[in-house]
Amino acid sequence: MKNISVIGSGTMGNGIAHLFAQRGFEVALVDLSPDQLNKGMATIAKNMDRQIAKGTLSEADKDASLHRITPYTSLADGVQKADLVVEAATEKIEIKLDLFRQLDLLAPATAVLASNTSSISITQIAAVTQRPGQVIGMHFMNPVPVMKLVEVIRGYATSEETTKHIMVLSSQLEKVPVEVQDYPGFVANRILMPMINEAIYTLYEGVAGVSEIDTVMKLGMAHPMGPLQLADFIGLDVCLSILRVLHEGFGNPKYSPCPLLINMVAAGFKGVKSGEGFYCYPTGTKEYPVSPRFLS
Ligand code: NAD
């Protein structure tokens, strides 16, 4: 695999494009929105500057990596040479299904189509294409250039050959791939989201405050970040939609999202991306006092 097309240049898409370009692949970065595409390219350059400051990347490697990324607003142009497409568009099922129908028509017949979805069924996505054996989940973690894990999700019809290709490719990217089967939440979010939901219930029921809950989990369980802060970083809207997928997929009330989470998302308090969640982010993520709504 040499030519990689990344669909979506948001938080994950620009990180995935950054990673592939730095490892020497030719990358086409596609987004519907020219504005998002510019922001994505600017974020990649800024994150590479951080690597230079840390001494993990040279100026010459930064220039060469950026040269390997070509931005596109047209899906047809962006995927015409793809050996692999990694879709990292908005987490909405209708968007993913529509995209995969188009990708199936536009990308070369030999191309593997991967999705970075956090929770949507790979089997369902694959079923709208004529190549379900070549559709797979490639779930990177945020921030992509830093986090080691790739959860490789094998849909019901994903072939052995496609799975092997993606496992080997992930290792070439110096990541650690873990193969999992396609059931709601896969492994990462099936375990993480109930913990985050329980932390929100603990707050909602008045058992403890925001910083107390996060401190217990950081100092008691050696988690680098408390669950409420992590929820703010992931996005409370994203957490809610993943919990809904788990709840619906398993039909088990243990996954039902906490009413406090539902209210916060309905009111537009989505965490870092909206400036306030359980914490406030007046200056990005440098300082984050607990939201006054949770101080009594
Ligand atoms: P985001 O909202 O930051 O970016 C999504 C981008 O997709 C936007 O730039 C939007 O313009 C673009 N887009 C939407 N529809 C499109 C289309 N039809 N064609 C091209 N571009 C389109 O979202 P994100 O946080 O980067 O998440 C992307 C995917 O990665 C989702 O499936 C999400 O579940 C998954 N994911 C997110 C995280 C995380 O921590 N944010 C972690 C792992 C996986």
Side-chain angles (χ1 to χ4, degrees), residues 86-279:
V86 183
E87 172 276 321
T90 314
E91 183 79 345
K92 291 217 166 93
I93 184 135
E94 57 285 5
I95 291 181
K96 306 263 188 216
L97 297 184
D98 182 49
L99 258 171
F100 274 77
R101 274 188 205 102
Q102 293 188 61
L103 289 172
D104 194 30
L105 296 174
L106 299 170
T110 49
V112 168
L113 308 181
S115 176
N116 183 53
T117 179
S118 310
S119 60
I120 294 170
S121 159
I122 298 300
T123 304
Q124 207 179 336
I125 291 174
V128 302
T129 74
Q130 300 302 312
R131 58 179 104 183
Q134 287 160 245
V135 177
I136 194 161
M138 205 176 180
H139 185 203
F140 291 91
M141 306 290 134
N142 185 23
V144 181
V146 177
M147 297 289 281
K148 279 296 198 195
L149 178 70
V150 183
E151 206 178 15
V152 175
I153 302 125
R154 197 170 172 157
Y156 194 83
T158 307
S159 72
E160 187 64 38
E161 192 191 352
T162 301
T163 309
K164 272 196 189 137
H165 259 105
I166 296 302
M167 294 292 286
V168 169
L169 178 72
S170 303
S171 302
Q172 284 169 357
L173 293 168
E174 294 177 25
K175 299 292 182 196
V176 178
V178 175
E179 185 184 328
V180 309
Q181 300 299 318
D182 181 28
Y183 288 99
F186 319 130
V187 170
N189 282 315
R190 180 166 176 177
I191 295 172
L192 176 65
M193 285 303 152
M195 184 190 72
I196 285 178
N197 200 33
E198 205 56 36
I200 302 172
Y201 265 114
T202 309
L203 176 70
Y204 173 67
E205 290 169 5
V207 179
V210 170
S211 58
E212 287 76 10
I213 292 167
D214 276 353
T215 302
V216 167
M217 296 306 286
K218 276 191 289 186
L219 301 187
M221 315 297 153
H223 289 191
M225 201 184 265
L228 298 174
Q229 192 191 347
L230 180 57
D232 272 1
F233 274 66
I234 294 170
L236 301 188
D237 52 337
V238 176
C239 294
L240 179 58
S241 68
I242 298 172
L243 279 162
R244 289 200 157 126
V245 168
L246 289 169
H247 192 205
E248 204 183 295
F250 291 114
N252 187 330
K254 78 175 177 182
Y255 299 109
S256 66
C258 177
L260 172 60
L261 174 65
I262 297 172
N263 265 357
M264 289 174 78
V265 174
F269 293 83
K270 298 179 184 171
V272 176
K273 67 171 93 166
S274 71
E276 187 177 337
F278 297 104
Y279 296 84

Side-chain angles (χ1 to χ4, degrees), residues 69-87:
I69 308 176
T70 312
Y72 291 92
T73 48
S74 151
L75 190 65
D77 293 344
V79 302
Q80 64 174 351
K81 286 196 291 187
D83 300 312
L84 167 69
V85 177
V86 183
E87 172 276 321

